[in-house]
Amino acid sequence: MKKQILVLGLAGLAGSLLAAETSAKEEVINAAKKLGEKPNYSWKTTVVVPESAQFKPGPSEGKAEKDGFTHVKMSFGGNTTELVKKGDKAAFTNRDGDWQTPADAEGDQGPGRFMAGMARNFKAPAAQAVEIAEATKELKKDGDVYTSDLTEQGAKNLMRFRRGGDGPTINDAKGSAKFWVKDGVLSKFEYKVTGSMNFNGNDIDVERTTTVEIKDVGNTKVEIPEGAKKKLS
């Protein structure tokens, strides 16, 4: 009887430890999903790259409403681009400030093509955080903060700004992620990626830290420009 009790106790302890190992990831994913279930929210994204980096994205700000529109303003090299998305439909402004869809930019070999791909693959922070959490190796909790290294594929996806294996070849991809949760809802997340990306036969080193801060949950008003509405109608 004593042996049975000991065995059952050890089995229960092992089960508890296993649950503890998996619960941190589940907590983050649930916190991100809870954010997505809120009526609306705003966010600010900042990206830090080395001084020597050729591509230096500026800060961006966005607003999202549940089952409705998402509106983002992004800055690249002193220029501001707007992106609006609803469901699978997307529209963005070109260099002249005119609204266009990814299909409109189909034949563009320059910035338009890049923006078309970004518009198609863009996800608001709540959905993006779920994907990043799913791509972590083992999240560990310390207070309200959760941290983990990323899987190699997860780091590659974030370097490409998209999922899947298409796009430039990436080598030595590594990364880490950190999530902040307040009252059961995601309030901030950050991810770092490093590696090399091959463009036209040239390897370019990549080192990027992206921080997304959530704000005005339930108090955000999403206003969509008329030009974007026409393109999405």
Side-chain angles (χ1 to χ4, degrees):
M1 179 63 72
K2 290 182 178 179
K3 287 183 178 181
Q4 285 182 322
I5 293 174
L6 177 60
V7 170
L8 290 172
L10 290 173
L13 177 61
S16 297
L17 291 174
L18 181 61
E21 289 178 356
T22 57
S23 65
K25 180 176 289 191
E26 291 172 348
E27 285 177 12
V28 170
I29 291 175
N30 289 337
K33 289 182 177 179
K34 285 182 180 179
L35 175 63
E37 289 298 313
K38 296 295 183 181
N40 49 63
Y41 63 91
S42 301
W43 74 90
K44 181 178 182 179
T45 300
T46 53
V47 182
V48 177
V49 296
E51 282 297 322
S52 58
Q54 295 180 348
F55 180 63
K56 296 180 180 178
S60 64
E61 298 203 16
K63 299 178 179 181
E65 55 189 8
K66 181 182 177 183
D67 301 325
F69 287 99
T70 296
H71 183 204
V72 188
K73 292 184 179 180
M74 301 168 282
S75 57
F76 298 96
N79 298 314
T80 300
T81 300
E82 293 185 63
L83 166 66
V84 172
K85 196 162 186 181
K86 184 176 183 180
D88 294 330
K89 294 183 177 181
F92 57 91
T93 55
N94 60 20
R95 285 182 169 181
D96 297 322
D98 298 323
W99 286 94
Q100 58 183 170
T101 66
D104 293 334
E106 197 73 39
D108 194 327
Q109 297 300 313
R113 184 178 181 182
F114 172 79
M115 280 302 304
M118 178 177 285
R120 287 192 181 99
N121 291 284
F122 179 84
K123 291 189 177 180
Q128 186 187 26
V130 170
E131 288 195 350
I132 296 173
E134 289 175 341
T136 57
K137 291 182 179 180
E138 183 183 355
L139 278 167
K140 294 183 179 180
K141 181 179 180 181
D142 183 7
D144 292 334
V145 184
Y146 302 73
T147 58
S148 173
D149 288 333
L150 295 167
T151 63
E152 182 181 8
Q153 188 59 54
K156 285 182 177 181
N157 291 339
L158 289 169
M159 286 176 68
R160 291 191 183 107
F161 299 104
R162 72 186 77 183
R163 295 190 63 174
D166 55 338
T169 302
I170 292 177
N171 295 309
D172 300 322
K174 297 178 182 178
S176 62
K178 185 181 291 188
F179 304 86
W180 286 258
V181 175
K182 184 177 181 180
D183 298 327
V185 180
L186 183 72
S187 60
K188 177 181 175 181
F189 65 94
E190 176 184 284
Y191 60 88
K192 301 179 181 181
V193 289
T194 62
S196 65
M197 191 178 295
N198 188 282
F199 285 102
N200 300 321
N202 298 314
D203 286 329
I204 300 174
D205 291 333
V206 175
E207 182 181 341
R208 188 170 68 240
T209 300
T210 303
T211 304
V212 181
E213 298 178 85
I214 312 299
K215 57 184 180 179
D216 299 331
V217 178
N219 296 308
T220 293
K221 184 177 181 180
V222 183
E223 297 179 346
I224 305 302
E226 286 300 321
K229 287 183 180 179
K230 290 178 181 179
K231 282 292 183 180
L232 296 179
S233 60

